[in-house]
Amino acid sequence: MKGCPLILFKFICFGFGSIFAAFSPLKIRLGGTLQNKVIYETQQQACTASFIKSSSEMFGFSQGCLALSRWDELNTFFREAGAEVIFGLNALNGRTIASDGSAKGAWNSSNAEALIRYTVNKNFTIFGWELGNELSGSGIGTSVAPDQYASDITNLHDIVRKTYASLGKRKKKPLVLAPGGFYDANWLTEFINKTPKNSLQVVTHHIYNLGPGDDTHLIDRILDPSYLDGGSSPFSGLQGILKSSGSSAVAWVGEAGGAYNSGHNLVTNAFVFSFWYLDQLGMASSYNTKTYCRQSLVGGNYGLLNPTTFVPNPDYYSALLWHRLMGTKVLSTSFSGTKKIRAYAHCSKKSQGITILLINLDGNTIANVHVSTENAITIQTAQQHHQNRRSEFARMAKGSKVNAHVREEYHLTAGGDDLHSQTVLLNGKVLAVNNTSGSIPSMEPVEARLSDPITIAPFSIVFAHIANVTVPACMSNS
């Protein structure tokens, strides 16, 4: 986060009412740039300062304080929403900033320890404690050396272990996460190698690979398969480091908004962004990334919800289909044909068979896709020039039983065939929250014969659930 006050709902990792419930269980990460310098109120020392915008201060704001009354309110909300919370701690507390801009000295953990102890005493449930935000590598504003960061993580791990020890097996001990910064191979290698194997459970990194939000070429990058391919480097690189180090930690994307500085209106909050977003989810999964946190739930131009009306933006529905259909087991997938088709396949979630995600980056060509599962998932395509963007869909009736000779398809297209549209159509029907009940619309598939190819319209996205297929890797999938 660049210059945004702390303690806003800024991150969602696969959710108000039914909007949250649709993603249950969900993870929410609270944090951002200002978490590094916030002070937590304690029962011995009351809050005395709020964040004040100041150009002379690091990160553009003065130091602020999180009141315990606010912490109580937030945790009540988390509990009622059924959220699993990751909270970012003040990693710059106690450090000094050297003339070269780097942060020197050890993290003063006493204030964070008081908050953790208060949290345990109040019986609040925290899924994970994350130390720092964008202080790794060259950092944003300042940076911490990897060996010092490793020492600080060991300190945090010890605090968590001791503070939660009194609970025994009554409550699961939270995860320890770090560093929540941008991928830097040399920095991460040293940090992971110098961190005791049991002290760190999750290595988090951030992704804004499309550049600044005011760039006028964002859509060009989103629709460029070569540019999208380049986004795999952080995923593959981090997996290589974790494997070679022998660490048992897993990789998460702790924050990803695509384009930094709040994104770009009618791009990062419009239909076109689902091409980048779903491609990122598919790519991250293929490199064993366990969690992908989207920036943001509400805020900036990259929120899943409109910041004024709280109406879902297109990516909300893209994320919801992913959440419902794509299981945790990733299948090796090869694609033969145009580079403008992006293809991913998983064992289906809570159902038999597999689910395939197909993204058509071509605005002029229909792709007819054939699927083979003899060895891996092999996808071949035949193409035809697109003459008419409008497609008709035969809907599956509610309550229909699975037919062994058909598959279920979910076709996403832009409202008015406009990539900048904030309206998304599912199988030709506009997706919209019910104005009276606030409920999420029913997202029903259409049926297609298994013998027919999957037809992908120009500039569209298709999830295809094939239940009547046996893949050995999916036999134990749940």
Side-chain angles (χ1 to χ4, degrees):
M1 293 294 298
K2 314 300 188 285
C4 293
L6 185 70
I7 314 306
L8 297 177
F9 295 107
K10 291 297 180 183
F11 310 96
I12 181 173
C13 321
F14 305 126
F16 325 110
S18 63
I19 289 176
F20 272 125
F23 282 95
S24 182
L26 64 100
K27 298 185 183 74
I28 294 179
R29 173 188 176 240
L30 268 73
T33 300
L34 296 184
Q35 76 174 66
N36 292 320
K37 58 188 298 185
V38 71
I39 293 298
Y40 315 119
E41 181 182 28
T42 68
Q43 293 173 307
Q44 291 73 40
Q45 185 173 354
C47 269
T48 58
S50 299
F51 284 116
I52 299 174
K53 197 168 185 178
S54 173
S55 59
S56 64
E57 295 276 354
M58 181 182 291
F59 309 130
F61 283 85
S62 66
Q63 190 175 69
C65 181
L66 171 61
L68 290 179
S69 59
R70 180 59 168 161
W71 186 233
D72 292 349
E73 291 170 351
L74 288 168
N75 277 278
T76 298
F77 173 77
F78 300 148
R79 182 176 62 250
E80 291 177 353
E84 296 177 336
V85 179
I86 295 90
F87 187 79
L89 296 168
N90 53 1
L92 288 181
N93 193 40
R95 306 188 204 268
T96 59
I97 307 302
S99 58
D100 64 357
S102 62
K104 302 297 184 183
W107 172 50
N108 183 340
S109 61
S110 58
N111 185 232
E113 183 173 0
L115 179 68
I116 294 172
R117 192 176 299 116
Y118 176 85
T119 300
V120 171
N121 290 339
K122 293 283 286 189
N123 200 32
F124 297 151
T125 298
I126 299 296
F127 190 80
W129 298 99
E130 184 177 30
L131 183 61
N133 181 84
E134 297 177 358
L135 298 174
S136 57
S138 57
I140 299 296
T142 188
S143 60
V144 177
D147 56 343
Q148 180 60 63
Y149 223 123
S151 177
D152 298 331
I153 283 297
T154 303
N155 183 14
L156 175 58
H157 171 263
D158 289 343
I159 290 170
V160 171
R161 177 177 56 82
K162 293 175 183 177
T163 307
Y164 284 84
S166 61
L167 299 179
K169 295 183 178 180
R170 287 186 294 128
K171 184 171 290 188
K172 187 177 180 180
K173 186 172 69 175
L175 301 174
V176 173
L177 307 89
F182 297 105
Y183 177 77
D184 182 306
N186 293 332
W187 193 98
L188 282 170
T189 297
E190 183 175 353
F191 167 67
I192 292 170
N193 284 329
K194 291 187 175 181
T195 301
K197 296 296 186 287
N198 65 337
S199 295
L200 181 66
Q201 287 78 60
V202 180
V203 177
T204 51
H205 64 109
H206 296 178
I207 295 177
Y208 290 89
N209 64 339
L210 294 173
D214 60 2
D215 193 310
T216 58
H217 299 287
L218 290 178
I219 288 185
D220 295 335
R221 296 194 182 101
I222 292 169
L223 299 178
D224 183 349
S226 297
Y227 194 90
L228 294 179
D229 286 341
S232 67
S233 295
F235 302 125
S236 60
L238 181 52
Q239 281 305 314
I241 294 169
L242 290 171
K243 185 176 181 180
S244 63
S245 70
S247 173
S248 60
V250 298
W252 284 22
V253 173
E255 177 183 333
Y260 57 85
N261 291 343
S262 293
H264 191 109
N265 188 34
L266 300 183
V267 176
T268 55
N269 55 6
F271 179 80
V272 68
F273 207 52
S274 285
F275 295 148
W276 177 84
Y277 184 31
L278 288 173
D279 189 68
Q280 279 277 302
L281 294 181
M283 192 179 296
S285 298
S286 66
Y287 287 100
N288 204 30
T289 303
K290 298 300 185 182
T291 295
Y292 192 105
C293 300
R294 169 63 183 263
Q295 161 81 319
S296 60
L297 176 58
V298 184
N301 289 313
Y302 35 38
L304 294 185
L305 306 180
N306 182 290
T308 303
T309 65
F310 304 120
V311 168
N313 285 324
D315 279 359
Y316 174 91
Y317 296 109
S318 297
L320 186 53
L321 282 175
W322 176 281
H323 173 75
R324 290 177 175 177
L325 299 173
M326 305 293 272
T328 57
K329 291 187 177 180
V330 184
L331 300 172
S332 176
T333 308
S334 61
F335 180 77
S336 175
T338 172
K339 293 182 179 179
K340 288 285 189 175
I341 296 292
R342 315 286 289 181
Y344 300 97
H346 288 210
C347 299
S348 296
K349 187 173 185 178
K350 297 180 180 179
S351 63
Q352 295 179 341
I354 64 172
T355 300
I356 298 169
L357 167 64
L358 298 165
I359 303 169
N360 190 354
L361 303 175
D362 194 318
N364 297 306
T365 306
I366 294 173
N368 293 309
V369 171
H370 300 267
V371 180
S372 171
T373 59
E374 290 183 1
N375 296 309
I377 304 299
T378 303
I379 300 173
Q380 296 179 319
T381 181
Q383 297 172 286
Q384 62 190 76
H385 186 71
H386 183 53
Q387 300 294 335
N388 181 6
R389 287 176 182 259
R390 298 293 179 184
S391 298
E392 296 295 329
F393 299 94
R395 299 190 178 282
M396 182 180 72
K398 290 184 178 180
S400 295
K401 295 182 179 180
V402 173
N403 188 321
H405 302 290
V406 302
R407 62 176 175 266
E408 298 173 342
E409 297 180 355
Y410 303 77
H411 295 252
L412 297 176
T413 53
D417 294 324
D418 181 4
L419 292 180
H420 297 278
S421 176
Q422 293 181 294
T423 298
V424 59
L425 282 65
L426 173 63
N427 299 328
K429 183 179 181 180
V430 172
L431 290 174
V433 172
N434 185 290
N435 290 330
T436 302
S437 66
S439 60
I440 298 299
S442 175
M443 299 175 71
E444 300 294 335
V446 294
E447 287 188 345
R449 293 183 300 181
L450 276 179
S451 57
D452 291 342
I454 302 171
T455 299
I456 316 170
F459 285 152
S460 73
I461 296 162
V462 179
F463 288 88
H465 174 217
I466 307 174
N468 188 35
V469 62
T470 301
V471 178
C474 299
M475 295 303 292
S476 61
N477 191 62
S478 59

Short mmCIF file of all heavy atoms in Angstrom, two decimals, residues 1 4 8-10 257 259-266 268-269 294-308 313 422:
data_model
loop_
_atom_site.label_atom_id
_atom_site.label_comp_id
_atom_site.label_asym_id
_atom_site.label_seq_id
_atom_site.Cartn_x
_atom_site.Cartn_y
_atom_site.Cartn_z
N MET A 1 0.83 -1.18 0.00
CA MET A 1 0.00 0.00 0.00
C MET A 1 0.87 1.24 0.00
O MET A 1 1.83 1.32 0.74
CB MET A 1 -0.87 0.02 1.26
CG MET A 1 -1.90 -1.08 1.27
SD MET A 1 -3.09 -0.82 -0.04
CE MET A 1 -3.76 0.75 0.47
N CYS A 4 -1.74 4.87 2.22
CA CYS A 4 -3.12 4.70 2.65
C CYS A 4 -3.15 4.42 4.14
O CYS A 4 -2.35 3.62 4.62
CB CYS A 4 -3.79 3.54 1.90
SG CYS A 4 -4.01 3.87 0.15
N LEU A 8 -7.72 -0.55 7.09
CA LEU A 8 -8.85 -0.60 6.17
C LEU A 8 -8.88 -2.01 5.62
O LEU A 8 -7.85 -2.70 5.63
CB LEU A 8 -8.67 0.41 5.03
CG LEU A 8 -8.64 1.88 5.44
CD1 LEU A 8 -8.38 2.73 4.20
CD2 LEU A 8 -9.95 2.33 6.08
N PHE A 9 -10.02 -2.47 5.14
CA PHE A 9 -10.07 -3.81 4.58
C PHE A 9 -9.47 -3.76 3.19
O PHE A 9 -10.16 -3.49 2.22
CB PHE A 9 -11.50 -4.33 4.57
CG PHE A 9 -12.04 -4.51 5.94
CD1 PHE A 9 -12.99 -3.65 6.45
CD2 PHE A 9 -11.57 -5.52 6.75
CE1 PHE A 9 -13.47 -3.81 7.73
CE2 PHE A 9 -12.04 -5.69 8.03
CZ PHE A 9 -13.00 -4.82 8.52
N LYS A 10 -8.19 -4.02 3.10
CA LYS A 10 -7.48 -3.81 1.85
C LYS A 10 -7.19 -5.08 1.08
O LYS A 10 -6.79 -5.02 -0.07
CB LYS A 10 -6.15 -3.08 2.13
CG LYS A 10 -6.35 -1.63 2.56
CD LYS A 10 -7.01 -0.84 1.46
CE LYS A 10 -7.22 0.60 1.86
NZ LYS A 10 -7.90 1.36 0.84
N GLY A 257 -2.19 -6.44 -6.86
CA GLY A 257 -3.15 -5.54 -7.48
C GLY A 257 -2.86 -5.31 -8.94
O GLY A 257 -3.55 -4.53 -9.60
N ALA A 259 -1.46 -3.43 -11.03
CA ALA A 259 -0.90 -2.11 -11.32
C ALA A 259 -0.89 -1.30 -10.03
O ALA A 259 -1.93 -1.11 -9.40
CB ALA A 259 -1.72 -1.40 -12.39
N TYR A 260 0.29 -0.82 -9.64
CA TYR A 260 0.40 -0.12 -8.35
C TYR A 260 -0.11 1.32 -8.44
O TYR A 260 -0.54 1.78 -9.50
CB TYR A 260 1.83 -0.17 -7.82
CG TYR A 260 2.91 0.38 -8.70
CD1 TYR A 260 3.21 1.74 -8.70
CD2 TYR A 260 3.67 -0.46 -9.51
CE1 TYR A 260 4.22 2.25 -9.49
CE2 TYR A 260 4.69 0.04 -10.31
CZ TYR A 260 4.97 1.40 -10.30
OH TYR A 260 5.98 1.89 -11.09
N ASN A 261 -0.08 2.00 -7.29
CA ASN A 261 -0.66 3.34 -7.15
C ASN A 261 -2.16 3.32 -7.44
O ASN A 261 -2.69 4.15 -8.18
CB ASN A 261 0.03 4.37 -8.04
CG ASN A 261 1.45 4.68 -7.57
OD1 ASN A 261 1.82 4.38 -6.44
ND2 ASN A 261 2.26 5.24 -8.45
N SER A 262 -2.83 2.35 -6.85
CA SER A 262 -4.30 2.23 -6.86
C SER A 262 -4.89 1.77 -8.18
O SER A 262 -6.10 1.87 -8.39
CB SER A 262 -4.96 3.54 -6.43
OG SER A 262 -4.68 3.80 -5.07
N GLY A 263 -4.09 1.28 -9.11
CA GLY A 263 -4.64 0.75 -10.34
C GLY A 263 -5.13 1.84 -11.28
O GLY A 263 -4.73 3.00 -11.19
N HIS A 264 -6.01 1.46 -12.21
CA HIS A 264 -6.50 2.37 -13.24
C HIS A 264 -8.00 2.17 -13.42
O HIS A 264 -8.45 1.06 -13.69
CB HIS A 264 -5.78 2.09 -14.56
CG HIS A 264 -5.99 3.13 -15.61
ND1 HIS A 264 -5.00 4.00 -16.01
CD2 HIS A 264 -7.09 3.45 -16.35
CE1 HIS A 264 -5.47 4.79 -16.96
NE2 HIS A 264 -6.75 4.47 -17.18
N ASN A 265 -8.75 3.26 -13.27
CA ASN A 265 -10.21 3.16 -13.41
C ASN A 265 -10.58 2.65 -14.79
O ASN A 265 -10.00 3.02 -15.82
CB ASN A 265 -10.84 4.54 -13.18
CG ASN A 265 -12.36 4.47 -13.11
OD1 ASN A 265 -12.93 3.49 -12.62
ND2 ASN A 265 -13.02 5.50 -13.59
N LEU A 266 -11.57 1.75 -14.81
CA LEU A 266 -12.09 1.11 -16.02
C LEU A 266 -11.07 0.21 -16.71
O LEU A 266 -11.23 -0.15 -17.87
CB LEU A 266 -12.65 2.15 -17.00
CG LEU A 266 -13.79 3.02 -16.47
CD1 LEU A 266 -14.31 3.95 -17.55
CD2 LEU A 266 -14.92 2.16 -15.90
N THR A 268 -8.41 -1.86 -14.18
CA THR A 268 -8.21 -2.82 -13.09
C THR A 268 -9.48 -3.10 -12.30
O THR A 268 -9.48 -3.96 -11.41
CB THR A 268 -7.09 -2.36 -12.15
OG1 THR A 268 -7.38 -1.04 -11.67
CG2 THR A 268 -5.75 -2.34 -12.87
N ASN A 269 -10.56 -2.36 -12.57
CA ASN A 269 -11.86 -2.66 -11.97
C ASN A 269 -12.90 -3.00 -13.03
O ASN A 269 -14.11 -2.91 -12.80
CB ASN A 269 -12.34 -1.50 -11.10
CG ASN A 269 -12.39 -0.17 -11.87
OD1 ASN A 269 -12.18 -0.14 -13.08
ND2 ASN A 269 -12.66 0.92 -11.15
N ARG A 294 -5.77 -11.01 -3.11
CA ARG A 294 -6.06 -9.95 -4.07
C ARG A 294 -6.10 -8.59 -3.38
O ARG A 294 -6.74 -8.43 -2.34
CB ARG A 294 -7.40 -10.24 -4.75
CG ARG A 294 -7.97 -9.10 -5.59
CD ARG A 294 -7.07 -8.73 -6.75
NE ARG A 294 -7.66 -7.58 -7.46
CZ ARG A 294 -8.41 -7.69 -8.55
NH1 ARG A 294 -8.66 -8.90 -9.06
NH2 ARG A 294 -8.90 -6.62 -9.13
N GLN A 295 -5.46 -7.63 -3.96
CA GLN A 295 -5.55 -6.25 -3.55
C GLN A 295 -6.61 -5.58 -4.40
O GLN A 295 -6.41 -5.41 -5.60
CB GLN A 295 -4.18 -5.59 -3.74
CG GLN A 295 -4.16 -4.08 -3.80
CD GLN A 295 -4.22 -3.44 -2.45
OE1 GLN A 295 -4.95 -3.89 -1.59
NE2 GLN A 295 -3.46 -2.41 -2.24
N SER A 296 -7.75 -5.27 -3.92
CA SER A 296 -8.18 -5.28 -2.55
C SER A 296 -9.64 -5.71 -2.51
O SER A 296 -10.22 -6.00 -3.55
CB SER A 296 -8.06 -3.86 -1.97
OG SER A 296 -8.88 -2.97 -2.75
N LEU A 297 -10.23 -5.78 -1.34
CA LEU A 297 -11.67 -6.00 -1.26
C LEU A 297 -12.40 -4.72 -1.62
O LEU A 297 -13.22 -4.68 -2.54
CB LEU A 297 -12.08 -6.46 0.14
CG LEU A 297 -13.58 -6.63 0.36
CD1 LEU A 297 -14.17 -7.62 -0.62
CD2 LEU A 297 -13.88 -7.05 1.78
N VAL A 298 -12.09 -3.64 -0.89
CA VAL A 298 -12.63 -2.31 -1.19
C VAL A 298 -11.49 -1.32 -1.11
O VAL A 298 -10.78 -1.28 -0.11
CB VAL A 298 -13.74 -1.90 -0.19
CG1 VAL A 298 -14.34 -0.55 -0.59
CG2 VAL A 298 -14.81 -2.95 -0.09
N GLY A 299 -11.30 -0.51 -2.13
CA GLY A 299 -10.27 0.50 -2.08
C GLY A 299 -9.51 0.59 -3.39
O GLY A 299 -9.24 -0.42 -4.03
N GLY A 300 -9.17 1.81 -3.78
CA GLY A 300 -8.45 2.01 -5.02
C GLY A 300 -9.30 1.63 -6.22
O GLY A 300 -10.52 1.41 -6.12
N ASN A 301 -8.65 1.52 -7.36
CA ASN A 301 -9.33 1.11 -8.58
C ASN A 301 -9.14 -0.37 -8.88
O ASN A 301 -9.41 -0.81 -9.99
CB ASN A 301 -8.82 1.94 -9.76
CG ASN A 301 -9.29 3.38 -9.71
OD1 ASN A 301 -10.46 3.64 -9.48
ND2 ASN A 301 -8.37 4.32 -9.89
N TYR A 302 -8.65 -1.14 -7.89
CA TYR A 302 -8.47 -2.57 -8.10
C TYR A 302 -9.26 -3.40 -7.10
O TYR A 302 -8.99 -4.56 -6.88
CB TYR A 302 -7.00 -2.97 -8.08
CG TYR A 302 -6.09 -2.23 -7.11
CD1 TYR A 302 -6.53 -1.85 -5.85
CD2 TYR A 302 -4.78 -1.95 -7.47
CE1 TYR A 302 -5.68 -1.20 -4.97
CE2 TYR A 302 -3.92 -1.29 -6.60
CZ TYR A 302 -4.38 -0.91 -5.36
OH TYR A 302 -3.55 -0.25 -4.49
N GLY A 303 -10.25 -2.77 -6.46
CA GLY A 303 -11.06 -3.51 -5.49
C GLY A 303 -12.01 -4.48 -6.16
O GLY A 303 -12.45 -4.28 -7.30
N LEU A 304 -12.34 -5.56 -5.47
CA LEU A 304 -13.35 -6.49 -5.96
C LEU A 304 -14.75 -5.90 -5.84
O LEU A 304 -15.67 -6.34 -6.53
CB LEU A 304 -13.29 -7.80 -5.18
CG LEU A 304 -12.02 -8.64 -5.37
CD1 LEU A 304 -12.16 -9.96 -4.64
CD2 LEU A 304 -11.72 -8.88 -6.84
N LEU A 305 -14.91 -4.89 -4.97
CA LEU A 305 -16.19 -4.22 -4.80
C LEU A 305 -16.03 -2.74 -5.13
O LEU A 305 -14.99 -2.13 -4.86
CB LEU A 305 -16.71 -4.36 -3.37
CG LEU A 305 -16.82 -5.77 -2.78
CD1 LEU A 305 -17.37 -5.69 -1.36
CD2 LEU A 305 -17.70 -6.65 -3.64
N ASN A 306 -17.08 -2.14 -5.71
CA ASN A 306 -17.09 -0.71 -5.95
C ASN A 306 -17.00 0.02 -4.61
O ASN A 306 -17.80 -0.28 -3.70
CB ASN A 306 -18.37 -0.32 -6.69
CG ASN A 306 -18.44 1.16 -7.02
OD1 ASN A 306 -18.61 2.00 -6.14
ND2 ASN A 306 -18.34 1.47 -8.30
N PRO A 307 -16.08 0.97 -4.43
CA PRO A 307 -15.87 1.60 -3.12
C PRO A 307 -17.02 2.48 -2.67
O PRO A 307 -17.09 2.83 -1.49
CB PRO A 307 -14.59 2.43 -3.33
CG PRO A 307 -14.54 2.70 -4.79
CD PRO A 307 -15.12 1.48 -5.45
N THR A 308 -17.92 2.86 -3.56
CA THR A 308 -19.06 3.71 -3.21
C THR A 308 -20.33 2.90 -3.00
O THR A 308 -21.03 3.06 -2.00
CB THR A 308 -19.31 4.77 -4.30
OG1 THR A 308 -18.13 5.54 -4.48
CG2 THR A 308 -20.46 5.68 -3.90
N ASN A 313 -17.41 -5.81 -8.64
CA ASN A 313 -16.80 -5.61 -9.95
C ASN A 313 -16.63 -6.96 -10.64
O ASN A 313 -16.75 -8.02 -9.99
CB ASN A 313 -15.46 -4.89 -9.80
CG ASN A 313 -15.62 -3.43 -9.48
OD1 ASN A 313 -16.52 -2.76 -9.98
ND2 ASN A 313 -14.73 -2.89 -8.64
N GLN A 422 -17.83 -2.53 -16.54
CA GLN A 422 -17.84 -3.06 -15.17
C GLN A 422 -19.02 -4.00 -14.96
O GLN A 422 -19.33 -4.37 -13.84
CB GLN A 422 -17.87 -1.90 -14.17
CG GLN A 422 -16.57 -1.09 -14.19
CD GLN A 422 -16.58 0.05 -13.20
OE1 GLN A 422 -17.35 1.00 -13.32
NE2 GLN A 422 -15.72 -0.03 -12.21
#
